[in-house]
Amino acid sequence: MAAGTYSAASFRTLGSAATPQNLLTIENTDAVVQVRIRDISIQLDATAVLTAVMPLVKVSRATGVPSGGTVLSKAEFSTAATSDAQVVVRGATASDGGVATAITATAGTTLWQEYQMRMHTVVGQVLSPPSRMPTLLTKDLILTQNQAILIAVIAAVGTSNPATNHWSVCVTWDET
């Protein structure tokens, strides 16, 4: 492992019509490495009218080390660096729009949350900028041994997160 900056992105994940829906986790089980989160961005492309309360995305510390899901590839910003094998990013599907591979994780203390977009009509084009966890919060967000971050959709009702929702989550971090 070499210190460096890394990034991972989920596959396009369909809404589950269930609440909560775990979208992505990043975990560190290494006793020596520290993971400093630099950026978390979430994007929703809704393709149907939503009359229920819009979905709420929460970023929280997981209460334990997650399991399940699909282990995602990690990209290095420098080809001279290699991410630690014990830093793992999990997504909720193994292919774009594919069958769900549920992440088993329990949300702990909420660090940040934001409502996502919804469409009252599907007339015209709807552009939805990504939601970003503010840098003020991520600059001191560190994962030490056996700590994890969970990004999940929390819906007031299942119809707030229909299968016509398409989610994408990206995370960037430093390892030291």
Side-chain angles (χ1 to χ4, degrees), residues 122-138:
V122 283
V123 176
Q125 183 179 17
V126 177
L127 299 175
S128 176
S131 296
R132 288 197 125 79
M133 189 170 175
T135 306
L136 179 65
L137 299 177
T138 59

Side-chain angles (χ1 to χ4, degrees), residues 1-6 74-84 175:
M1 192 287 300
T5 301
Y6 308 92
K74 300 180 282 185
E76 307 86 12
F77 280 39
S78 167
T79 56
T82 303
S83 178
D84 189 288
E175 294 178 18

Side-chain angles (χ1 to χ4, degrees), residues 74-174:
K74 300 180 282 185
E76 307 86 12
F77 280 39
S78 167
T79 56
T82 303
S83 178
D84 189 288
Q86 291 178 289
V87 176
V88 176
V89 182
R90 298 174 189 275
T93 187
S95 63
D96 279 333
V99 176
T101 53
I103 300 169
T104 303
T106 303
T109 305
T110 299
L111 299 165
W112 176 76
Q113 64 185 18
E114 184 171 283
Y115 281 106
Q116 300 302 298
M117 59 87 73
R118 73 172 167 185
M119 297 185 304
H120 294 282
T121 69
V122 283
V123 176
Q125 183 179 17
V126 177
L127 299 175
S128 176
S131 296
R132 288 197 125 79
M133 189 170 175
T135 306
L136 179 65
L137 299 177
T138 59
K139 73 180 183 79
D140 294 321
L141 185 52
I142 297 171
L143 302 178
T144 56
Q145 185 179 25
N146 296 326
Q147 292 184 333
I149 297 294
L150 167 65
I151 296 101
V153 180
I154 309 298
V157 292
T159 54
S160 292
N161 187 29
T164 53
N165 281 353
H166 301 256
W167 296 94
S168 175
V169 182
C170 298
V171 61
T172 304
W173 69 96
D174 293 324

Side-chain angles (χ1 to χ4, degrees), residues 7-58:
S7 183
S10 70
F11 290 101
R12 181 174 47 86
T13 303
L14 300 177
S16 67
T19 184
Q21 179 183 9
N22 296 337
L23 296 175
L24 185 133
T25 60
I26 179 169
E27 66 198 60
N28 177 20
T29 57
D30 194 300
V32 177
V33 172
Q34 284 195 342
V35 173
R36 182 179 301 269
I37 305 297
R38 294 180 81 182
D39 184 62
I40 297 173
S41 71
I42 302 126
Q43 186 138 23
L44 165 62
D45 182 18
T47 59
V49 172
L50 178 62
T51 56
V53 174
M54 65 183 105
L56 178 67
V57 169
K58 288 190 175 192

